[in-house]
Amino acid sequence: MPALVLLGAQWGDEGKGKATDLLGGSVDYVVRYQGGNNAGHTVVVGDQKYALHLLPSGILSPTCTPVIGNGVVVDPSVLLSELSGLNERGVDTSKLLISGNAHIITPYNVTVDKVTERFLGKRKIGTTGRGIGPTYADKINRVGIRVQDLYDESILTQKVEAALDVKNQILTKLYNRRAIAVDQVVEELVGYAEKLAPYVADTVLVLNQALEDDKVVLFEGGQGTLLDIDHGTYPFVTSSNPTAGGACTGAGVGPTKISRVIGILKAYTTRVGAGPFPTELFDEDGDALRRIGGERGVTTGRDRRCGWFDAVIARYATRVNGLTDFFLTKLDVLTGWEQIPVCVAYEIDGRRVEELPYSQSDFHHAKPVYETLPGWSEDITKAKSFSDLPKNAQNYVKALEEMSGAPISAIGVGPGRDETIEINSFL
Ligand code: IMP
């Protein structure tokens, strides 16, 4: 029963789509367990490029069943347009399964996300504005709407009423907005019910049976470790648990079933939105990483903040996720630098600190301590094995591995499906 978790080891956007897609052919189920359409995967198949936001990247593999687990928040309009966009390009999406327990991102959740951010002004989180946080807040407050509620209009109406009761007070009295009408929301949501019906399933049962039948199940995290609501750089985080434990709660599979946890690690670091980022670069190196790495958000189109590799973060990701492997991505982006700085520790108020500080104030004061590694200038995109890499690139990978605390089992050397060096098989 190989059950693999694949997740971002930094602040998201590490190139998970490529990794999941690489495994796609041998994986029977690809499961998203948290987040929503705040995620963005770019998957390149042949000369085709697909940008996925909510759907698991396994949707592109004909032998794979893609699953949206109970821990995901689903915006039905986004989901349906993503599905029809793929259908128009000839992708068969009929195998998709959606948990009836997944929560729905309602139109009012999106409104609340946007007005709250505007209200926060300088203190804003820099959310994707997709309603993610408010939907999870409703879930925790027990006023959320679930996929299954779409199939009982009377219950749905009561639930929307309960949710809007307080929200309309806040929207009108605090934010000076118009109140949102219950029947309008109900009408919109009921309109999705029939279109979603073929996909809705008891995904917990399906996945546990699949594991008993020795199927290969891949749990695909959205965002990344440092954006985790519990283990990330709170409050500059997303509202769910991308870390490995989230795969269990967000899909209904016990921790004893998980056999491997793979962290996707970019050969440098990026971050979108606000919050601390010790190795961030504000100079031409940062601009070059952004330009060469194509560091622009798939979902929001925002430029990503860029910086050198941070081994403190990688070590932390190994610890909180129990990582068994790393998939190092975008090594090719670093080609051409004579010297490559790598952050090995922080200096915080005059002290050298080797591990990620738990205190938010300390982390905000953390200054990177760099070691510099020699770079390479040869094109590495055609490398098929580790020994094809120039010596300095090999040494860079080995140094990262040693500092990060888990073996690097695959290396991305270009965006294409075949531009990957496999060192240890994931299966
Ligand atoms: P939210 O997830 O829209 O609530 O945004 C919260 C924070 O997470 C913001 O800093 C976003 O930029 C960041 N974020 C959300 N999704 C992603 C992602 O897929 N990649 C990188 N950052 C993300």
Side-chain angles (χ1 to χ4, degrees), residues 87-108:
N87 295 153
E88 276 160 25
R89 292 174 71 180
V91 178
D92 176 15
T93 56
S94 60
K95 290 175 102 176
L96 175 70
L97 301 178
I98 305 171
S99 166
N101 286 348
H103 280 246
I104 298 273
I105 302 178
T106 62
Y108 52 81

Side-chain angles (χ1 to χ4, degrees), residues 11-13 38-40 125-129 132-133 223 227 237-238 272-274 302:
W11 274 288
D13 308 314
N38 50 346
I125 306 294
T127 73
T128 57
I132 307 297
Q223 293 79 48
L227 287 173
V237 292
T238 193
V272 196
R302 288 184 287 183

